[in-house]
Amino acid sequence: MHSPDMSFDALTPTDVPRLVELNDAASPAVPITSETEMAALLDIAGFTLAARDGGALIGFVIGMRAGSSYASENYRFFDARSFDFLYVDRIVIDDSQRGTGIGRALYGEVFELARSESLREVTCEVNLDPPNPESLAFHARLGFDRIGEQATKGGSVTVALLAAVV
């Protein structure tokens, strides 16, 4: 299980270099992102969560709320479908910390936020091509159902569009 020194708080601009390091190590599950792009993503994020162990950033969530100007094809799918959701754009856990419950704990925080705002569901996508079976299984264990699929990035990536009722 995760460390008793783990805490959750919001991401800040000072986290950007570590965010990029964690993010890019998780490619192709998440897109390679420059520091400039990551800072811009934080600026438009509807919510962020950092998992820290003794102050060190070991995992994160960047998400959007309904009605955002975020241009992601996957976010646009959910925003056109509903106004009653939180969208997880990316969740990344340090490789050395995978399987310790941090991802589940971060999602627990997201679901609690959705409940506190009386929102109906949490949404996200997981790559089908390139395949990410571990993430699909993880999300299924958390109660996410596949509500669609779509090709993105000019057809180079196919994703499963997932939603979980809060």
Side-chain angles (χ1 to χ4, degrees):
M1 235 23 222
H2 56 76
S3 160
D5 294 331
M6 184 147 66
S7 62
F8 298 101
D9 60 13
L11 294 167
T12 69
T14 59
D15 290 319
V16 167
R18 178 68 174 145
L19 287 173
V20 169
E21 180 185 340
L22 288 170
N23 184 86
D24 291 359
S27 176
V30 293
I32 297 290
T33 305
S34 71
E35 287 193 15
T36 302
E37 292 167 327
M38 187 64 76
L41 186 59
L42 283 186
D43 281 345
I44 66 163
F47 65 96
T48 65
L49 284 168
R52 301 182 199 275
D53 188 3
L57 183 62
I58 56 171
F60 68 89
V61 171
I62 298 173
M64 303 295 162
R65 297 172 183 281
S68 169
S69 62
Y70 189 40
S72 155
E73 296 165 284
N74 299 317
Y75 169 77
R76 291 270 154 239
F77 171 89
F78 294 113
D79 198 50
R81 177 178 165 268
S82 169
F83 60 89
D84 205 11
F85 68 95
L86 291 178
Y87 169 73
V88 173
D89 183 65
R90 56 190 81 185
I91 179 169
V92 176
I93 310 301
D94 186 303
D95 276 344
S96 69
Q97 301 291 323
R98 289 212 181 127
T100 62
I102 296 167
R104 181 176 293 279
L106 280 167
Y107 261 117
E109 297 288 316
V110 173
F111 277 92
E112 185 53 41
L113 177 62
R115 266 191 294 283
S116 74
E117 297 180 11
S118 301
L119 298 173
R120 192 172 68 83
E121 59 188 7
V122 173
T123 63
C124 66
E125 79 280 341
V126 173
N127 289 353
L128 295 173
D129 185 23
N132 192 345
E134 295 86 7
S135 185
L136 284 171
F138 169 76
H139 284 85
R141 287 192 301 274
L142 292 179
F144 283 86
D145 293 314
R146 190 179 308 193
I147 58 169
E149 293 179 14
Q150 72 180 6
T152 64
K153 302 185 189 325
S156 65
V157 176
T158 302
V159 297
L161 301 154
L162 307 176
V165 174
V166 171

